[in-house]
Amino acid sequence: MDRVYLLAQPNSGKTTLFNLLAGESCYVANWPGKTVEVFQAKIRHHGKEFLLIDLPGINSFKTLGKEEELTKEFILKESDGVTLILLNGESLYRSFYFAIQVLEMKSKAILVINKSDYLEKKGVHVNLQVLKERLGVEVVQISALHGIGINQLLDRILDVLEGRIKVKRLKIDYGALESYIERAEKIVGDRSVAIRAIEGEEKILSTLPNEKRVAIEEIKKEIGEKIANPEEMIAMYRYKFVEELLNSAVREVKVAKASFEEKFDKIFFSKFGWIVSIFILFSTLLMAFTINTGFPLNLLLSSFGYESIADLLEEYSLAGIISLFFELLSKLLEQYIPDSIIKDLLINGIIAGIGAVATFFPLILIVNFFMSLIEDSGLMTRIAVSMDRFFAFFGLTGKSVFPFGINMACNVPGVMTSRILETDGERLRVALASPFVICQARLLVIILLVVFFLTSPILQSGIIVSIYLISTLIFLLITKFYGKFFKEETSELMLEIPPYHFPSLRVVWWITWMRSRSFIFKVSQLLLLFAIFAWLMEYLGLANMVGAIIATAFSPIGLEDPRIGFALLMGFFAKELVISSLAISFGTADLMRISAELSLTIPEATALIFFIAFYTPCAATVSALFAEIRNYKLVLFSIITQLLIAYLLAFSIFLILNSF
């Protein structure tokens, strides 16, 4: 099947275009020989089918993360199929500079200028015919957001695939460097490879035999002695080419930047911008939690004396409605199914286990939806830039806010998102520290335990806020700690600041669903499997025995009940299983009854909550961690560190509260 590769810099609208073209046919696949995943989709147009591959966004050929390295390798190597180079209509100069570098390497390509609606609004007119003649490839202008020009783009893709349109590789005149480029071309056999080699591209030079590499180095040295730095000279000629190209093909009426954008940017990029960013992130999360569970708005209403409203908010939250559904289902089955082992498995195993944690799924969707809104509005890039100065204290860049934010939804994609970081040192440190960020699965377990084990609204809210603050601090300190073992390579934060715009709900929902669906489906299967396992252990009387062994380690903090020990064991596989395990052990999903039977003191309950918050999130996170770093020893060390920190925190909290 013919392949079409979608290539773009960040903020070009690549996700919108891919979503529009792919529709429901999108799926995820690993790039051959890599752990990096890419989106693919089979597209059919006029009876012809081709595979559309969405390559990771790439800022430049310089500072690159793991995913960007994949895209760079694709550009530098020969490949089949057609390359769609998507340009950002809001930043034509920068986009064209990147595009001509790709066009020097790729002959079968189509230039796609996105955001035609923006260009029209700003009075920018692009002469596509001039661009086509100068660049030697088809040029199409579209608006992925509004679906303008998409059929024309698909027609041109088929034209190039079937050879109806002749394309050629771009050749830029490098003036005084041409004689040197010709000499290098005779050595390596390709003009574009020769130019890259003279620039000092290590990925090109490393593939050359030693004698050819030495010859190229001699040419570079000669250029440096007789003219100037070869890399700077090549960049100068490219900038000159882009300038002449745009002058001949683009007519632009300059419009002053909107004043509200300037005011907002002054806030974001001030010395206190990171505080605004943290406020936005946490406000978004609190809004999502309120919709799903009623927390923390229910606690605020209770503290002001509005108990009845708080109860209604909690009862008719998404979590409350789902819990009510499973309670009614259990009662219905209890009434109509005769007593048997199947009935016990169904009610006390599957329904008690799954029902206790089904409330997580709406929260996953809601958090991912709100995070996607922030990303697609232009805010997330500003948050990253504003956080850069703060993160620099810990040897990180502001780009680390992306995996940090995703970790708040789920640690598995959070660990995977560390791929976007530009240096191996930062990527490894952030991945290893990710399990300390409180994900929504742990949060809901924490909320449930806090609400049912503790009665004071002040204590409840204080514990949750403390856990988040401690979690953030540990994440940052652990990245600094791991910096002692991994080289803290310095890298500058390079992000294009997009204009503020109203998010596309279609794109936002697509991103939300792609981030949520695999987690939901995988966790659903995992929860069902372990719910049955927990019931079986309970039914055979083994849960009590295993739980008693684990509980001995927690006797110093008063958690000697074997049912707690078994629940903590199950929580290692998935935090949601702490609740379902307790539900199965006590034969009820009613946490009020479970709390009454356990009769934990405030120090004991708080210690338990802190341990659950900070020990290993789940087996899926461990698996994702190993997939990213490929080192058993580091993963094992990470797990031991998590358990040790969680236990020390729980023990310290127990001692402090017990002293009062």
Side-chain angles (χ1 to χ4, degrees):
M1 184 183 294
D2 291 318
R3 293 170 177 258
V4 176
Y5 302 91
L6 183 54
L7 178 67
Q9 293 177 297
N11 302 313
S12 299
K14 181 166 68 71
T15 300
T16 308
L17 178 59
F18 182 80
N19 175 35
L20 186 64
L21 294 174
E24 298 297 323
S25 65
C26 172
Y27 63 95
V28 180
N30 269 9
W31 187 262
K34 302 284 184 181
T35 59
V36 177
E37 293 178 334
V38 294
F39 288 112
Q40 299 184 4
K42 290 181 181 178
I43 310 296
R44 178 174 288 275
H45 185 64
H46 294 330
K48 172 78 174 178
E49 195 173 61
F50 60 86
L51 185 67
L52 180 64
I53 301 171
D54 182 20
L55 293 170
I58 178 172
N59 267 301
S60 70
F61 284 78
K62 291 299 179 183
T63 52
L64 300 168
K66 187 177 178 182
E67 291 184 319
E68 291 174 300
E69 284 286 351
L70 181 152
T71 305
K72 180 178 176 179
E73 286 181 15
F74 165 80
I75 296 170
L76 296 177
K77 292 180 180 178
E78 284 292 332
S79 60
D80 59 343
V82 175
T83 304
L84 295 185
I85 309 169
L86 190 66
L87 276 64
N88 185 355
E90 296 171 343
S91 181
L92 284 176
Y93 193 91
R94 181 172 179 269
S95 294
F96 266 101
Y97 183 83
F98 172 74
I100 64 169
Q101 294 180 77
V102 180
L103 290 173
E104 283 186 297
M105 304 293 298
K106 302 288 181 185
S107 55
K108 291 180 71 174
I110 298 174
L111 210 61
V112 186
I113 302 175
N114 192 22
K115 305 183 183 179
S116 60
D117 51 323
Y118 170 87
L119 293 172
E120 185 178 343
K121 181 180 177 182
K122 295 293 182 181
V124 178
H125 304 279
V126 182
N127 190 323
L128 303 183
Q129 188 60 34
V130 170
L131 292 177
K132 180 180 176 180
E133 291 171 359
R134 293 287 302 272
L135 298 174
V137 295
E138 281 295 310
V139 185
V140 181
Q141 192 167 318
I142 69 166
S143 170
L145 185 62
H146 299 288
I148 299 170
I150 302 303
N151 277 330
Q152 184 187 7
L153 171 60
L154 290 169
D155 288 343
R156 297 294 80 75
I157 291 172
L158 295 190
D159 288 341
V160 176
L161 283 174
E162 296 174 351
R164 288 191 293 272
I165 292 178
K166 299 301 179 184
V167 291
K168 61 181 180 179
R169 191 179 291 186
L170 177 64
K171 183 177 180 180
I172 297 173
D173 184 0
Y174 286 99
L177 298 179
E178 281 297 331
S179 60
Y180 298 101
I181 292 172
E182 289 175 10
R183 284 167 53 191
E185 185 179 354
K186 290 177 182 177
I187 296 169
V188 300
D190 183 273
R191 176 180 170 86
S192 60
V193 173
I195 294 168
R196 283 289 170 197
I198 291 173
E199 280 187 285
E201 176 55 63
E202 190 56 39
K203 284 192 177 294
I204 294 289
L205 294 172
S206 62
T207 62
L208 299 176
N210 188 57
E211 63 274 10
K212 290 186 177 182
R213 182 167 183 161
V214 170
I216 293 293
E217 291 294 342
E218 285 295 324
I219 292 174
K220 287 170 59 183
K221 184 179 178 182
E222 190 176 336
I223 294 172
E225 291 174 348
K226 293 185 177 180
I227 306 177
N229 181 292
E231 186 177 0
E232 292 177 1
M233 287 292 293
I234 289 172
M236 182 191 75
Y237 279 108
R238 283 195 186 125
Y239 278 119
K240 183 180 177 183
F241 179 85
V242 171
E243 192 172 335
E244 291 174 351
L245 182 70
L246 293 181
N247 284 339
S248 62
V250 178
R251 294 291 177 267
E252 180 178 0
V253 178
K254 291 188 177 181
V255 180
K257 193 176 181 182
S259 59
F260 86 92
E261 290 191 12
E262 293 176 349
K263 291 176 181 177
F264 269 75
D265 283 351
K266 280 182 181 179
I267 296 171
F268 270 111
F269 304 140
S270 69
K271 64 171 72 174
F272 302 110
W274 63 274
I275 298 175
V276 177
S277 297
I278 290 174
F279 175 78
I280 291 172
L281 287 175
F282 275 90
S283 297
T284 303
L285 290 169
L286 290 177
M287 192 187 308
F289 300 149
T290 297
I291 293 171
N292 195 66
T293 64
F295 172 87
L297 186 56
N298 60 338
L299 293 184
L300 289 173
L301 290 170
S302 294
S303 63
F304 286 109
Y306 299 104
E307 294 285 348
S308 57
I309 300 176
D311 291 340
L312 282 172
L313 182 63
E314 189 175 332
E315 184 178 353
Y316 293 103
S317 65
L318 285 174
I321 293 169
I322 292 170
S323 296
L324 181 62
F325 168 77
F326 279 98
E327 284 177 22
L328 293 173
L329 181 61
S330 293
K331 289 177 181 177
L332 190 66
L333 294 176
E334 181 74 42
Q335 185 177 354
Y336 289 103
I337 298 179
D339 291 340
S340 65
I341 187 174
I342 299 298
K343 177 181 179 180
D344 193 59
L345 168 62
L346 193 60
I347 296 175
N348 296 324
I350 296 174
I351 293 178
I354 299 297
V357 295
T359 50
F360 293 108
F361 300 151
L363 183 58
I364 292 167
L365 287 169
I366 292 167
V367 170
N368 282 331
F369 180 76
F370 282 137
M371 294 296 286
S372 301
L373 281 175
I374 292 175
E375 287 180 38
D376 201 44
S377 65
L379 282 174
M380 188 58 87
T381 305
R382 288 168 170 81
I383 289 172
V385 174
S386 66
M387 295 289 285
D388 189 55
R389 189 182 302 173
F390 175 73
F391 274 57
F393 285 113
F394 303 92
L396 304 172
T397 63
K399 211 170 183 181
S400 294
V401 79
F402 288 97
F404 179 80
I406 297 300
N407 270 302
M408 287 183 170
C410 175
N411 292 127
V412 174
V415 169
M416 295 168 64
T417 308
S418 64
R419 297 172 184 174
I420 69 168
L421 302 175
E422 294 166 0
T423 65
D424 284 339
E426 185 175 9
R427 182 176 62 82
L428 286 170
R429 288 184 288 129
V430 169
L432 288 166
S434 288
F436 289 104
V437 180
I438 302 300
C439 63
Q440 55 197 355
R442 277 181 285 179
L443 176 67
L444 195 50
V445 173
I446 292 165
I447 291 172
L448 291 172
L449 296 180
V450 161
V451 169
F452 287 101
F453 286 6
L454 304 169
T455 55
S456 167
I458 295 175
L459 184 60
Q460 291 170 344
S461 55
I463 286 174
I464 293 173
V465 171
S466 298
I467 285 173
Y468 261 102
L469 292 175
I470 293 170
S471 163
T472 304
L473 182 61
I474 291 177
F475 170 81
L476 295 169
L477 291 176
I478 285 292
T479 58
K480 191 67 177 176
F481 169 74
Y482 282 126
K484 304 293 181 183
F485 303 96
F486 308 116
K487 183 180 178 183
E488 287 193 21
E489 304 158 280
T490 57
S491 65
E492 293 183 2
L493 182 67
M494 292 184 64
L495 292 172
E496 181 183 357
I497 305 297
Y500 294 98
H501 59 278
F502 192 81
S504 164
L505 294 181
R506 182 179 59 200
V507 175
V508 166
W509 171 246
W510 184 78
I511 295 172
T512 300
W513 180 238
M514 294 310 298
R515 284 179 178 171
S516 304
R517 70 175 184 179
S518 60
F519 175 78
I520 290 174
F521 294 148
K522 288 176 183 177
V523 169
S524 297
Q525 296 167 7
L526 184 71
L527 290 178
L528 180 59
L529 177 66
F530 280 107
I532 295 171
F533 173 74
W535 170 85
L536 184 62
M537 292 285 284
E538 191 71 37
Y539 189 81
L540 297 174
L542 297 175
N544 197 65
M545 183 177 67
V546 173
I549 296 170
I550 295 171
T552 55
F554 295 90
S555 58
I557 53 179
L559 304 175
E560 298 174 344
D561 193 307
R563 292 170 292 191
I564 292 178
F566 185 66
L568 292 176
L569 171 65
M570 297 301 293
F572 181 86
F573 299 102
K575 278 295 170 287
E576 302 91 328
L577 293 171
V578 169
I579 303 299
S580 61
S581 178
L582 288 172
I584 292 166
S585 294
F586 285 87
T588 177
D590 187 347
L591 285 175
M592 189 67 76
R593 282 175 54 190
I594 294 173
S595 174
E597 286 193 45
L598 281 174
S599 299
L600 297 179
T601 65
I602 289 177
E604 291 167 351
T606 307
L608 175 63
I609 291 165
F610 267 82
F611 184 80
I612 289 171
F614 288 100
Y615 84 104
T616 309
C618 61
T621 299
V622 175
S623 176
L625 199 56
F626 177 73
E628 287 304 307
I629 64 180
R630 297 287 179 182
N631 188 310
Y632 282 111
K633 291 181 180 178
L634 276 177
V635 172
L636 182 60
F637 180 74
S638 175
I639 293 170
I640 293 170
T641 304
Q642 293 156 30
L643 290 170
L644 184 61
I645 289 176
Y647 191 87
L648 289 175
L649 273 173
F651 187 69
S652 301
I653 292 293
F654 176 78
L655 290 179
I656 292 169
L657 293 179
N658 216 31
S659 65
F660 290 102

